[in-house]
Structure formats: structure tokens, C-alpha cells
Amino acid sequence: MTDTRRRVKVYTLNEDRQWDDRGTGHVSSGYVERLKGMSLLVRAESDGSLLLESKINPNTAYQKQQDTLIVWSEAENYDLALSFQEKAGCDEIWEKICQVQGKDPSVDITQDLVDESEEERFDDMSSPGLELPSCELSRLEEIAELVASSLPSPLRREKLALALENEGYIKKLLELFHVCEDLENTEGLHHLYEIIKGIFLLNRTALFEVMFSEECIMDVIGCLEYDPALSQPRKHREFLTKTAKFKEVIPISDPELKQKIHQTYRVQYIQDMVLPTPSVFEENMLSTLHSFIFFNKVEIVGMLQEDEKFLTDLFAQLTDEATDEEKRQELVNFLKEFCAFSQTLQPQNRDAFFKTLSNMGILPALEVILGMDDTQVRSAATDIFSYLVEYNPSMVREFVMQEAQQNDDVSKKLTEQKITNKDILLINLIIEHMICDTDPELGGAVQLMGLLRTLVDPENMLATANKTEKTEFLGFFYKHCMHVLTAPLLANTTEDKPSKDDFQTAQLLALVLELLTFCVEHHTYHIKNYIINKDILRRVLVLMASKHAFLALCALRFKRKIIGLKDEFYNRYIMKSFLFEPVVKAFLNNGSRYNLMNSAIIEMFEFIRVEDIKSLTAHVIENYWKALEDVDYVQTFKGLKLRFEQQRERQDNPKLDSMRSILRNHRYRRDARTLEDEEEMWFNTDEDDMEDGEAVVSPSDKTKNDDDIMDPISKFMERKKLKESEEKEVLLKTNLSGRQSPSFKLSLSSGTKTTLTSQSPATNLPGSPGSPGSPGSPGSPGSVPKNTSQTAAITTKGGLVGLVDYPDDDEDDDEDEDKEDTLPLSKKAKFES
């Protein structure tokens, strides 16, 4: 049997910092003559081929993780990992590695301060500092080894960094770099690469300030061109000096600011392009480099923000019609990058930044730019606008409302100018760009729709003592902008099916519907008035006939959101316009397919049933029952029918309904703490012991004619009890056929015809199940003779079992009547007297 202790998976780390599985095999350790040392060998379990052959180097940092994982770096930018099937195998290999390196196997990393002996640690702490070799060409290898050996120990890293700072060592190394380049000393250049890379990993700001100074940074980049792992050196300096060009869209007069911009670009280039991808052990060693770039960007934003002349010229040229398109594109791209830099600012500094831009007129400038034909310029302007909306939507809303007010004032003098001004409102420009997005995937439209939703979201609107932003802005939006948003919807739904049904149009209409659905959920009377007055829901439901399922579902979701509000204004509008017809038609056209459309439509009708929306229930049953009555794979529509029958019965017997209310209210007025005791006394007391004052009916009802009140009660009881015997017959037949399902539900639709015959003797067997029925059960009204015996259904009072379609159909009044049905005859007689 194969030894599973040594079974491993071999992983290597790719350029995307993801682990790639190189195969499964069995690991061993032994001396390899070719590598001249103890090595780790992994052979594939499938064919015995060699998956890994790695020499255990004395200075390599091996790390054990999670008891079954060993990770290490090998060569440049090449990380390896062995994942063991069993902990025992991992421990064995770990002991071999520690034995080669002379380490204690109890540690989790072989190259760390905790591995040093007490004497070494004491010597390191007590020694005044690290003595660096003299900076000479012949000693570059020694310097490189010193830097590499210092990196695993935090204390030695600290001492090395101090030595490099105090002796001006970096500048001396860079002088040697020029010598090596002139002499074409490749070995020396490779050593310098290792030294400079090691200095980066020391993670010291003071060293970075020297390395990134104007006189040193290009030489530092030059050292990093000579990676020993590459056959040919890179040409980073050539790219930075010849290919990359610094463009001043607006002349910068401050030399310090200009130098800071150059430095930040070059350091960012070093981080992204020059330095190799950090290994597992180096990831946290470049945090200071990230911070250096971050704080540089903060300084640049602050210095530009304080230069009023610079910003004034920027916005003047942006809005000047004489500015050529290429220049304007450069200006917009600069402003976009400027806003992106601002994201690094602290909240209070960001406040000041956007306030400065607002005072300089960034929103009017964006309005001009968005009105241009250049797609790239508009795209950059959209990104700038998104920064503003995400930061302070109230500032944008205030601007567009002031703009609308100015247009309204002008329109009083020039009537023709009103239409023109409405078309150039900033928010209308955003909507038009969303509608006219030429991207097949509508990437820009999706971004703009998100911005519009932020602007119309009441959750981020302010309310003060004098005014409410929500009221003012929504009034403005529905007056000046909503017609622009709904224009493509109204244009495409003039007939019974969408006039254009291509994929891009469907995507656009889905975005519009998503925003309208958001408005239904978060706005109140504004969207309600708009939908009802413009007949929007009818137009939306035309999209149910789209060949694109996602668009039809968006239309259905819009209607579902409206119904979910349970608003009678909406309900009357839906009923008056027969707006369930497109939904029912789509349901029937979908046929027996079990898909999202089927489930979503059934869920909408189920919501109407569960929430007992009476007006919609009656409307659906009265107008669409014939089309839906055959749907029996769910009980939703039969449940709706049952609700409808219950409502109709209550309408037919108003006295009965009032009697229920009286009984229910009288009971609920009792003290809750004594209710159970009184009910127990009621059942335990003999009828002869009952006093006259214990009647349940309130004294105010005693003056009514008893016959008038009890006559509908008696009729109802007759129908109910006959229903009991009928359901008992059905249940008995089911049980006699061998089916035993105590929890199954019996459904009697109004379409079911039952022939009433003489009661079977089996119905009166002791303990046979029966059903108290429900007051509005379909088929009950009008189907029972009035002279049915009242005692016929009381013979099985011992074990009544309720059989109904839905457990939540029984309301409180039905439960009260069920309790009365289960009373002994003597109690009922006493009650009815």
C-alpha cells in the first residue's frame, strides 16, 4: 500500500498572486550530486515523473503553515508550496529542512530572529551598529550577501538601514553603478540589482527620500534594469525619458509642485513596472513605498488647490468655445485625474477640495462638456460627475434646481426659450446620454443610471426647519425630467407589443424600468400621480410581450412593486384599466413551463391572496377565473376563489357579519388573565346552574328581535353542518382506499359538483374524522336545502379534523364559530335561548 504520509500537492505562485496546482506525488529528501546538496524531490504518483527537484539552501526562509503546508521562495519571483495529505509527513520533511539549516524543528519559519542563539541576540543588541564594507567594485558581492542576510532579522534590518543613512552609502553605490555600466561589468550590475532591491525591502522612508531625489531616482531605476533572471536588461530609463511625455495642459509656475508630480509618476512606475512581484515573505515589506506615493498625491492635490490662478485658467479654457477639441480633451483628462487623486484625502480635506471646485464652477463646466459631440471627452466628464455625485449629491441637486429656476425666470420673458432651456438642464443631459449610449453592453448607461438613482434617493436628502430637499427636488424632477426618462418607454409601447425588440433596446428599457421601480418604492404621491395620469403601467405591461425574458420580468417586477404597496388608488387604476390581462396572457402563453416567469406571476397572485387584498381578489376572480380555474399544480388560484366566496358570503349576510363582530368584540373585552378560567367554568357548569346574567350577547343587543338575529345564524349552521357531512364522506372514501395522509389538504373548488345522498353508516363510526368546514367554503351557499336536520352533523364531536386549502384562511371570526360548533347540544341550546 502506498505511504500516504508523504503524499503532497505541488503549487507555484503565478504573476496574479494565485497558486497553480502542478500535480500530486510523493516527496522525499536526499543528496543530489548535480545540485551538490540535500534536496527535496517530488515524483508524480501517476507516472513517476519528477515534479520537483529543489536544493535545501542554508539561507532560504522556509515557512510551515497550518501543520500541513511548507512554503518558500526559490530564485527570483518564484514561490513554491508543498501541501501534505497528513501532518506526520509534513513534520518529517520539516525536520529534514531544519536539520540542513541547523534550526530547531519547533519553529514555524527557519530564518527569523527567534532562531538566533541567545549569544548572537545579545551581541546584536549590544553592538553599536553594523559595519558596512567599503564601497568598492571588488566588494559588491560581499555587500549583496550582507544585505540579503540582514533582511530576515528585524534587528539587523534596522541596523543596516541606519548604516546606509549615516554613511551616505546609497550615493556611493550609484557612483559604482556608472562605473559598472561604463565597463560593461555585468556581474557587478547584477550585484547592484540585488543590493538596491534589498534596500527597497528595508521599508525605510529616509532611504526612499534619498533614492527618489531628483539626482538619484533615474540611477536607481537603472540599477533595477539588470535583473539576473533576465537575459537582456530592461529599458526603463529609455521609456521614462523618451516615450513618456509630461504635458502641462495649464502651465505650472511652482517648480516644487512640478518636481513632486515627476517624482510621484516615477515612483509609481517603479512600484508597478520595475520591482518584481513581491513574494509571500515580501508583501508587507513595501508598505512604506505605498505610503510614500499616497502622501505625495495628497501634497499635489493640496498645492494645486491653493493655486487659484491655475484653477481659474483651467475652467476658463474648459468652457471657452475657442478651445480646440484636443486641448479640451487634455484638460478634461487632467481634471479627471485631479479628482481621482482627491480620493486619497481625509474627509475634511476632501470637503474643502470639492467646495473649491464648486466655487470655481465645475458643474456649469461639466454641462458644457457633456453637450459636446466628442465621446471620449463626454466619458471623462461622466467620471468627474460621478465623483461629485458620490461625494455630495445635495450639491448637485441644489445646482440643477437653481438652474431650473433661472430658466423659468427667463421663460417668463421669452416663451420660446423655455423649451430650449429645459433640454439643456444638466440632469436631462445625463438622462439623454444614458438613453443614447452607443455601447452594445450599455456600460456608460449603467453607470449613469446609478448616478440618477443616487440623485433621486430620498435617503440622502436633507431636511431643515425651513424646507425639505425631498419635496423640492422631487417636485422639480417630476416636472422637468421624468418625461425625458420615460420617453423611450412611451415611444416603444404604442401598440400591443414593443415596436422595437432588439437586445440593446431591451437592455435600455430594463434600465429605465429599474429606475422607475426604485421611484415606486421610495417616492410617494409624485410617482403615483405620474403613473396614473400618464397611464404608465399599461405601457410598461406591453413589455410583457417582449421576446426577451429579462425585460418581461422587469415589467412584471414593476407591477409587483405597485401591488406590494396595497394602495387603493393604484388598485382602482389597475381594475379600471383591466391591467391584469397582460399578466394572465403571459402566464397562459408560458404554458406548463416551470421557469422564473411562471413562479413570479404565481407569487404575485399568492401575495394578493395572503394579504387578502379584497378589491383585487374580486377583480381577478370575476374577470379571469375561467382562464385560471384549470391551474391545479398550485392552490393559489383556488385559494383566491375561496377568498372571493368568503367575501361574497359576508356581503350576502350583513346581519351575520355584524353578529360575528358583536361576539368577537364581547370576548375580547374580557380580562385576558381570567379568560381561560371563565371558559373552563362555561364548559364544566351544568345548564341548570347557569344564571340569566351570563348571556354572551351585550345588553344593548337584547332589544333586537331574536328571530331576526338568529334566523341567518341557523341557516348558516345548516349549510355548515351539511358541508361537514359531505367532507367526511370524501375523507372516509380516501381512507378506505388505503391512503393514509393525516396532513394532506382537501380542496373543493366552485367547479366541483357533489351529489348529496343519504349519509353512509361509516360516517358515524366512533372517532371517524370530520371537518368543521369554513364559513365561505365554495359550493356551500345555495346548495343546501333549508330544512336540513340540525342534529345530523353533531354525532362526531369527538375528533374533528380541519381540511382546508390554506392554513391562514381561517380568520378569527371563523375560529369563534368553530368553537361554538364543538359545544354540547345542551350548551348550544342554552346559548341560543
Side-chain angles (χ1 to χ4, degrees):
M1 180 178 175
T2 306
D3 186 6
T4 59
R5 290 183 306 164
R6 297 290 185 92
R7 190 168 185 264
V8 296
K9 275 185 175 292
V10 181
Y11 292 95
T12 58
L13 195 68
N14 62 28
E15 294 181 355
D16 298 325
R17 312 300 296 158
Q18 302 294 323
W19 289 102
D20 292 333
D21 186 354
R22 294 301 184 186
T24 303
H26 292 84
V27 63
S28 61
S29 63
Y31 186 85
V32 177
E33 182 65 31
R34 184 175 61 82
L35 299 177
K36 301 198 179 303
M38 291 294 291
S39 303
L40 297 176
L41 305 172
V42 179
R43 294 195 177 275
E45 65 179 359
S46 57
D47 56 7
S49 61
L50 196 62
L51 294 178
L52 175 69
E53 185 178 62
S54 172
K55 181 181 176 182
I56 303 174
N57 291 309
N59 296 324
T60 298
Y62 291 85
Q63 186 174 6
K64 186 169 72 168
Q65 301 175 1
Q66 303 170 5
D67 291 335
T68 58
L69 196 66
I70 297 177
V71 183
W72 72 98
S73 291
E74 192 163 285
E76 201 57 54
N77 196 27
Y78 187 67
D79 292 352
L80 288 162
L82 293 179
S83 177
F84 288 76
Q85 182 171 329
E86 295 184 10
K87 179 180 181 296
C90 184
D91 292 340
E92 289 177 9
I93 296 300
W94 185 249
E95 287 178 10
K96 292 287 185 183
I97 294 171
C98 293
Q99 183 180 349
V100 172
Q101 293 197 341
K103 304 296 181 182
D104 185 353
S106 63
V107 300
D108 290 331
I109 184 167
T110 60
Q111 301 291 333
D112 198 66
L113 181 64
V114 295
D115 297 323
E116 297 172 354
S117 66
E118 291 294 328
E119 293 80 5
E120 289 173 329
R121 192 184 317 175
F122 179 78
D123 290 344
D124 279 347
M125 294 176 66
S126 59
S127 61
L130 190 69
E131 185 176 347
L132 294 171
S134 58
C135 196
E136 299 173 1
L137 197 61
S138 60
R139 306 192 70 176
L140 282 176
E141 183 176 2
E142 183 182 349
I143 298 169
E145 290 178 356
L146 175 65
V147 173
S149 63
S150 299
L151 291 176
S153 168
L155 187 57
R156 290 178 65 81
R157 282 208 315 269
E158 184 73 18
K159 290 186 176 183
L160 176 60
L162 289 173
L164 291 169
E165 290 174 35
N166 295 335
E167 299 180 22
Y169 209 78
I170 293 176
K171 291 185 178 180
K172 295 178 183 177
L173 288 170
L174 296 177
E175 290 174 3
L176 282 182
F177 167 70
H178 288 291
V179 173
C180 287
E181 271 205 318
D182 293 340
L183 298 175
E184 297 184 359
N185 185 344
T186 305
E187 185 180 358
L189 292 170
H190 287 169
H191 289 316
L192 282 167
Y193 171 88
E194 297 290 352
I195 294 168
I196 296 297
K197 178 194 168 189
I199 294 174
F200 269 97
L201 296 177
L202 292 176
N203 215 22
R204 295 277 293 197
T205 304
L207 296 178
F208 286 157
E209 289 176 353
V210 175
M211 296 167 71
F212 299 152
S213 63
E214 186 72 23
E215 57 180 320
C216 294
I217 189 167
M218 295 305 289
D219 290 338
V220 169
I221 293 172
C223 290
L224 292 172
E225 290 179 350
Y226 293 93
D227 186 346
L230 302 176
S231 58
Q232 292 293 327
R234 298 287 180 87
K235 297 183 179 181
H236 298 302
R237 286 172 294 174
E238 182 179 333
F239 172 81
L240 290 173
T241 54
K242 296 181 179 179
T243 306
K245 298 295 183 182
F246 175 65
K247 292 184 178 180
E248 291 184 73
V249 290
I250 301 291
I252 298 174
S253 56
D254 187 348
E256 184 183 354
L257 172 59
K258 190 181 296 187
Q259 189 273 330
K260 186 71 68 175
I261 293 173
H262 283 301
Q263 183 190 58
T264 304
Y265 175 77
R266 290 165 180 169
V267 176
Q268 186 87 54
Y269 181 83
I270 291 174
Q271 183 191 42
D272 296 340
M273 303 300 297
V274 180
L275 286 177
T277 306
S279 68
V280 174
F281 306 104
E282 299 169 347
E283 283 182 341
N284 296 324
M285 291 183 177
L286 294 174
S287 58
T288 305
L289 181 62
H290 300 312
S291 300
F292 187 92
I293 297 171
F294 173 85
F295 288 113
N296 261 21
K297 290 180 178 180
V298 171
E299 283 188 57
I300 291 170
V301 171
M303 294 167 77
L304 285 174
Q305 188 178 331
E306 293 169 4
D307 191 341
E308 291 187 8
K309 182 180 184 305
F310 178 86
L311 291 178
T312 303
D313 292 346
L314 172 66
F315 286 106
Q317 291 190 34
L318 268 175
T319 54
D320 188 357
E321 294 182 0
T323 305
D324 61 76
E325 290 187 3
E326 184 178 354
K327 178 71 171 178
R328 181 173 282 108
Q329 184 173 343
E330 291 176 355
L331 291 166
V332 173
N333 287 334
F334 170 80
L335 186 57
K336 174 185 171 182
E337 192 169 357
F338 191 29
C339 290
F341 271 34
S342 73
Q343 302 306 298
T344 62
L345 298 175
Q346 296 297 317
Q348 62 271 21
N349 296 333
R350 204 180 307 139
D351 285 346
F353 172 79
F354 281 109
K355 193 170 290 184
T356 300
L357 291 186
S358 178
N359 294 336
M360 298 302 296
I362 188 170
L363 286 169
L366 285 178
E367 191 171 19
V368 173
I369 298 167
L370 287 168
M372 296 178 179
D373 296 331
D374 192 325
T375 306
Q376 291 184 337
V377 171
R378 287 209 313 259
S379 176
T382 301
D383 291 336
I384 298 169
F385 184 69
S386 69
Y387 285 122
L388 296 172
V389 172
E390 289 167 9
Y391 166 70
N392 191 348
S394 292
M395 177 180 74
V396 179
R397 285 191 286 259
E398 184 179 0
F399 169 78
V400 295
M401 285 191 291
Q402 288 177 353
E403 184 184 29
Q405 183 61 46
Q406 293 170 0
N407 287 343
D408 288 343
D409 293 341
V410 172
S411 67
K412 293 177 182 178
K413 300 178 181 178
L414 302 171
T415 307
E416 295 180 359
Q417 192 175 354
K418 180 177 180 181
I419 297 176
T420 305
N421 286 341
K422 283 177 70 177
D423 287 342
I424 63 169
L425 287 175
L426 175 60
I427 196 166
N428 282 346
L429 280 174
I430 297 297
I431 295 172
E432 287 174 4
H433 288 325
M434 182 185 87
I435 293 171
C436 301
D437 189 5
T438 55
D439 179 9
E441 298 298 325
L442 295 184
V446 172
Q447 180 188 12
L448 293 171
M449 193 275 291
L451 297 177
L452 287 172
R453 183 161 61 181
T454 302
L455 288 174
V456 300
D457 187 356
E459 295 297 323
N460 59 46
M461 294 184 185
L462 305 175
T464 61
N466 299 327
K467 61 179 182 178
T468 304
E469 185 182 16
K470 175 181 176 181
T471 304
E472 291 188 355
F473 180 76
L474 291 183
F476 152 79
F477 183 79
Y478 281 88
K479 179 181 178 182
H480 294 93
C481 309
M482 185 57 94
H483 68 282
V484 182
L485 178 65
T486 57
L489 170 68
L490 297 177
N492 207 40
T493 55
T494 54
E495 300 175 1
D496 293 337
K497 61 180 182 179
S499 54
K500 286 181 65 179
D501 204 17
D502 58 280
F503 180 72
Q504 189 166 354
T505 302
Q507 275 193 308
L508 174 62
L509 293 178
L511 286 177
V512 173
L513 283 180
E514 185 177 342
L515 191 55
L516 289 177
T517 305
F518 179 85
C519 293
V520 168
E521 184 176 4
H522 292 87
H523 303 167
T524 51
Y525 57 89
H526 292 95
I527 187 68
K528 185 193 305 181
N529 290 340
Y530 191 82
I531 288 174
I532 294 175
N533 291 336
K534 302 292 184 181
D535 201 15
I536 295 296
L537 181 55
R538 174 187 294 280
R539 295 297 194 90
V540 168
L541 291 176
V542 170
L543 302 178
M544 292 285 291
S546 171
K547 66 182 180 184
H548 301 285
F550 70 89
L551 181 58
L553 287 167
C554 284
L556 183 63
R557 190 184 308 122
F558 179 72
K559 179 171 182 175
R560 173 65 177 82
K561 189 67 70 175
I562 289 175
I563 291 176
L565 298 175
K566 297 190 285 188
D567 187 313
E568 281 303 313
F569 284 100
Y570 277 131
N571 293 346
R572 285 195 291 270
Y573 162 60
I574 290 171
M575 293 185 294
K576 181 180 178 182
S577 302
F578 293 93
L579 296 182
F580 274 102
E581 184 174 331
V583 177
V584 173
K585 187 180 295 184
F587 181 71
L588 296 176
N589 290 339
N590 191 63
S592 58
R593 283 175 292 178
Y594 180 60
N595 53 19
L596 190 55
M597 176 65 73
N598 175 276
S599 299
I601 293 176
I602 289 175
E603 189 278 334
M604 183 173 69
F605 284 110
E606 180 70 6
F607 176 82
I608 295 171
R609 185 196 70 80
V610 171
E611 295 296 325
D612 196 15
I613 306 177
K614 295 179 174 56
S615 56
L616 295 183
T617 300
H619 176 74
V620 169
I621 296 301
E622 289 172 353
N623 293 282
Y624 308 106
W625 173 244
K626 290 296 182 184
L628 301 171
E629 63 178 336
D630 292 333
V631 179
D632 54 3
Y633 55 87
V634 291
Q635 299 301 308
T636 296
F637 300 108
K638 289 182 171 57
L640 271 176
K641 176 72 169 176
L642 181 61
R643 288 283 195 197
F644 175 69
E645 295 287 354
Q646 291 172 343
Q647 294 172 24
R648 192 171 64 177
E649 183 148 345
R650 292 191 191 101
Q651 293 170 359
D652 293 344
N653 299 280
K655 293 182 180 180
L656 175 62
D657 205 37
S658 63
M659 184 64 184
R660 291 179 188 146
S661 177
I662 292 168
L663 295 175
R664 185 166 61 248
N665 290 342
H666 182 78
R667 286 180 187 165
Y668 290 165
R669 280 198 298 270
R670 294 186 181 187
D671 187 349
R673 292 171 297 179
T674 62
L675 182 59
E676 293 182 3
D677 294 336
E678 290 181 349
E679 287 181 345
E680 187 173 349
M681 289 174 60
W682 166 266
F683 284 102
N684 292 338
T685 307
D686 188 56
E687 61 176 321
D688 295 333
D689 297 332
M690 294 288 288
E691 297 180 5
D692 295 338
E694 292 183 5
V696 179
V697 183
S698 61
S700 62
D701 293 319
K702 289 182 180 179
T703 57
K704 297 180 181 179
N705 187 311
D706 288 346
D707 293 337
D708 291 342
I709 294 177
M710 298 312 296
D711 182 56
I713 292 280
S714 300
K715 293 177 181 178
F716 175 72
M717 292 299 183
E718 290 170 4
R719 288 194 298 271
K720 190 174 181 198
K721 289 164 186 173
L722 184 59
K723 176 83 165 27
E724 289 177 14
S725 62
E726 176 188 330
E727 290 181 345
K728 281 189 286 185
E729 272 192 315
V730 174
L731 181 63
L732 184 60
K733 289 177 181 177
T734 303
N735 289 341
L736 290 176
S737 65
R739 297 179 184 174
Q740 296 180 356
S741 179
S743 61
F744 94 111
K745 298 177 181 179
L746 177 65
S747 173
L748 294 175
S749 70
S750 63
T752 304
K753 296 183 180 180
T754 305
T755 305
L756 299 177
T757 60
S758 60
Q759 192 175 20
S760 170
T763 317
N764 294 324
L765 290 173
S768 62
S771 171
S774 107
S777 299
S780 295
S783 63
V784 183
K786 292 186 178 181
N787 59 353
T788 304
S789 171
Q790 195 168 356
T791 62
I794 310 180
T795 57
T796 59
K797 67 176 182 178
L800 299 178
V801 179
L803 299 174
V804 293
D805 282 353
Y806 295 93
D808 58 345
D809 280 345
D810 295 328
E811 299 178 353
D812 293 336
D813 51 352
D814 302 331
E815 292 173 0
D816 295 338
E817 291 158 8
D818 292 345
K819 285 184 179 180
E820 292 161 16
D821 278 352
T822 60
L823 297 179
L825 285 176
S826 59
K827 300 295 180 187
K828 288 192 175 184
K830 185 74 176 178
F831 173 71
E832 293 176 358
S833 62

